[in-house]
Amino acid sequence: MDKIKIRGGKQLNGEIFISGAKNAALPLICASLLTDETVTLTNMPILSDIKSMNLLLEQLGTKIDAFDDFVDGHPTKTYSYRTQELTSIAAPYDYVRKMRASYYVLGPLLARAGKVELSLPGGCAIGTRPMDIHLAAMEEMGAKIDIRNGYVYGEVEGRLKGAHIVFRNVSVGATCNVLMAAVLADGITVLENAAKEPEIGDLINLLNDMGAKISGIGTSILTIEGVEKLHGARHKVIPDRIEAGSYAVAAAITGGKIELINAQPNTLKTPMQILQKMGVDVSPTERGILVDASNKKIIGEDIITEPFPGFPTDLQAQFMSLLTVAEGAGMVTETIFENRFMHVPELMRMGANINVHGHASAIVRGVKKLSGAPVMATDLRASFALVLAGLAAEGETIVNRVYHLDRGYEKLEDKLRGVGADIERIKEAEEE
Ligand code: UD1
């Protein structure tokens, strides 16, 4: 397994191009299953999660063409997806276990084929993560759902039916699945307590371009008027707000100044407000967002994760790294996932002062300096938090289990090296 080696203490300055959003791209890929025409997605990030989703779709009968492309002079990928005919309706365990987001085939397969076999994803490092909200919604739309041998078997006679669905709590994944199921349903679906994440807006825009009739974008009540058929479309994936937020912290934690090219300020209001409260200058520019922490003292601040537009749980670990070197203390409260402090013991091995209270909150008291250490994390964002700590630490940090980072951060070492970090990837073969 590859490792990342960082020699900390370098101030990071320059610009970083923000790639297309992984969490937008994954449901967009699955939306292509809803038509027999071609759906083309541009500004796609080059990530292992995208490769995994592509493999799953190929297994369902999708023909995929990949093209090298450019967005604002930066190399990206464009993919065309065409599913003339579904050759399978199954998402087997081997796919789902590698990537939970495989559950995005649930809605499209039920809508198009009236049938689905989906391995249940089970828990993961950050919590139990059940699928009950997705499945209850499919049942309300007329599907028969049966769970056996670790699989969900779903079936519907004829078309799914429009329904009035109220989520018991906000779920990004279930909102996407309901949207993708309801667009081809018979009648009108009203979804209350829907998630409002920008990635959902991106999905709605693609679906509407394919001929769907969805209103309420950006609000918690979505109305979907079912249509009989959808057609092909071409769509540019939105920039990744979590990648942008992560590199914003890289600027802050090294006392540097980085312009995040293509970052969208309206998708990052809460985390940028927190950064400002912590003493960092953050301002929108013509090309994105400028984060300037040069000659600034980082001050402790409380953070609470919430559904959008609140502070994203996917930036909690990275901001905690920043708090470890702040002046004063900050309390971090995690309200979305029940086990998302796996990075804490690793940060403490680097000299951080953190006190976890139960599962939901942690007090972080800033220390003068972290010191480099070999570390590893059990999930994507926690792994990036350790990279950030390594950038600020004295000495050398080795981050193990790099495959987590490759799931969600495109060209991480190149991007960080481009702003002055001393960072390299050690390939497995190069290790002694
Ligand atoms: C998505 C994101 C993930 C992000 C999360 C919250 C993708 C691929 N992943 O995950 O990066 O951290 O949103 O912003 O986009 N829940 C249930 N039952 C369900 C569904 C969810 O109890 O049927 C719970 C979850 O366990 C969690 C909470 O609801 O506690 C929110 O989860 P959800 O918004 O569904 O997260 P994902 O869509 O899995």
Side-chain angles (χ1 to χ4, degrees):
M1 267 182 262
D2 294 358
K3 298 172 179 184
I4 298 268
K5 184 155 96 181
I6 304 160
R7 268 173 292 265
K10 291 259 175 355
Q11 196 187 51
L12 303 187
N13 291 303
E15 53 183 61
I16 293 181
F17 174 76
I18 301 305
S19 299
K22 168 179 87 77
N23 286 353
L26 293 170
L28 294 174
I29 295 173
C30 295
S32 75
L33 292 167
L34 290 162
T35 173
D36 56 9
E37 295 183 16
T38 302
V39 172
T40 300
L41 300 176
T42 67
N43 197 31
M44 288 284 275
I46 303 161
L47 298 169
S48 63
D49 267 12
I50 302 296
K51 280 190 202 141
S52 303
M53 190 60 97
N54 284 350
L55 286 175
L56 174 57
L57 259 78
E58 280 174 338
Q59 189 265 146
L60 297 172
T62 308
K63 195 176 162 307
I64 305 174
D65 289 310
F67 310 93
D68 290 327
D69 211 341
F70 287 90
V71 168
D72 303 330
H74 293 269
T76 62
K77 282 270 178 212
T78 287
Y79 290 104
S80 284
Y81 298 86
R82 179 152 200 203
T83 316
Q84 237 163 339
E85 218 176 310
L86 285 166
T87 53
S88 163
I89 45 95
Y93 179 62
D94 262 356
Y95 291 88
V96 182
R97 128 186 111 77
K98 281 197 201 114
M99 190 191 41
R100 296 180 49 82
S102 307
Y103 58 48
Y104 280 135
V105 302
L106 175 73
L109 289 178
L110 268 178
R112 178 152 168 200
K115 224 174 166 191
V116 63
E117 289 174 24
L118 169 70
S119 168
L120 276 168
C124 71
I126 61 176
T128 48
R129 299 183 80 172
M131 276 197 71
D132 57 313
I133 301 174
H134 303 235
L135 299 179
M138 298 302 131
E139 280 179 326
E140 286 185 74
M141 297 177 75
K144 250 188 69 207
I145 300 286
D146 193 13
I147 296 177
R148 54 197 140 86
N149 311 115
Y151 273 76
V152 175
Y153 294 88
E155 207 165 337
V156 60
E157 253 176 63
R159 285 167 75 186
L160 289 163
K161 304 256 174 316
H164 190 143
I165 300 165
V166 184
F167 281 167
R168 73 167 162 79
N169 67 285
V170 180
S171 162
V172 173
T175 301
C176 291
N177 259 328
V178 167
L179 283 167
M180 292 189 281
V183 284
L184 286 180
D186 183 12
I188 293 175
T189 299
V190 177
L191 173 58
E192 286 189 53
N193 204 20
K196 293 183 283 196
E197 269 65 2
E199 294 75 23
I200 287 164
D202 209 28
L203 175 64
I204 293 175
N205 284 333
L206 170 66
L207 290 170
N208 280 344
D209 285 347
M210 292 167 70
K213 292 183 177 162
I214 305 168
S215 58
I217 188 164
T219 75
S220 59
I221 302 182
L222 299 173
T223 305
I224 308 122
E225 196 183 316
V227 297
E228 281 192 21
K229 207 170 157 34
L230 294 178
H231 52 74
R234 187 180 174 89
H235 180 85
K236 184 176 171 189
V237 179
I238 55 167
D240 195 317
R241 65 193 166 101
I242 304 300
E243 190 197 25
S246 303
Y247 288 123
V249 178
I253 205 166
T254 63
K257 181 175 171 182
I258 300 179
E259 188 174 9
L260 307 162
I261 307 299
N262 271 1
Q264 294 182 322
N266 59 334
T267 65
L268 281 157
K269 277 191 188 145
T270 314
M272 294 305 120
Q273 270 166 14
I274 297 270
L275 267 188
Q276 282 169 331
K277 283 190 185 163
M278 293 176 87
V280 179
D281 285 343
V282 183
S283 46
T285 66
E286 263 176 32
R287 300 192 302 165
I289 299 176
L290 182 67
V291 180
D292 185 358
S294 45
N295 310 314
K296 307 276 183 331
K297 230 188 275 163
I298 303 292
I299 306 151
E301 177 63 34
D302 293 347
I303 294 167
I304 175 161
T305 65
E306 278 168 338
F308 190 86
F311 187 92
T313 173
D314 286 350
L315 283 175
Q316 180 256 105
Q318 299 89 317
F319 273 69
M320 190 185 284
S321 289
L322 182 56
L323 282 173
T324 65
V325 292
E327 201 173 273
M331 178 151 111
V332 179
T333 306
E334 171 61 56
T335 72
I336 309 292
F337 292 109
E338 72 262 32
N339 190 26
R340 209 169 191 181
F341 286 140
M342 305 294 277
H343 40 287
V344 168
E346 296 298 285
L347 289 172
M348 288 173 74
R349 291 182 55 245
M350 296 176 75
N353 179 350
I354 307 171
N355 237 311
V356 176
H357 300 261
H359 286 294
S361 61
I363 292 276
V364 187
R365 294 185 176 87
V367 296
K368 282 232 152 51
K369 261 279 171 235
L370 297 174
S371 63
V375 287
M376 65 177 180
T378 41
D379 75 83
L380 166 62
R381 308 303 171 186
S383 296
F384 197 87
L386 298 178
V387 169
L388 290 167
L391 290 170
E394 234 157 39
E396 189 176 283
T397 294
I398 305 271
V399 181
N400 292 285
R401 297 197 181 167
V402 170
Y403 60 89
H404 286 301
L405 291 165
D406 292 336
R407 287 186 43 223
Y409 288 95
E410 180 178 343
K411 298 194 193 123
L412 163 115
E413 318 90 271
D414 293 353
K415 289 189 182 187
L416 282 171
R417 211 177 299 118
V419 289
D422 186 345
I423 181 168
E424 64 183 306
R425 177 179 293 243
I426 309 168
K427 295 263 180 213
E428 187 176 23
E430 292 169 22
E431 287 172 39
E432 295 115 49

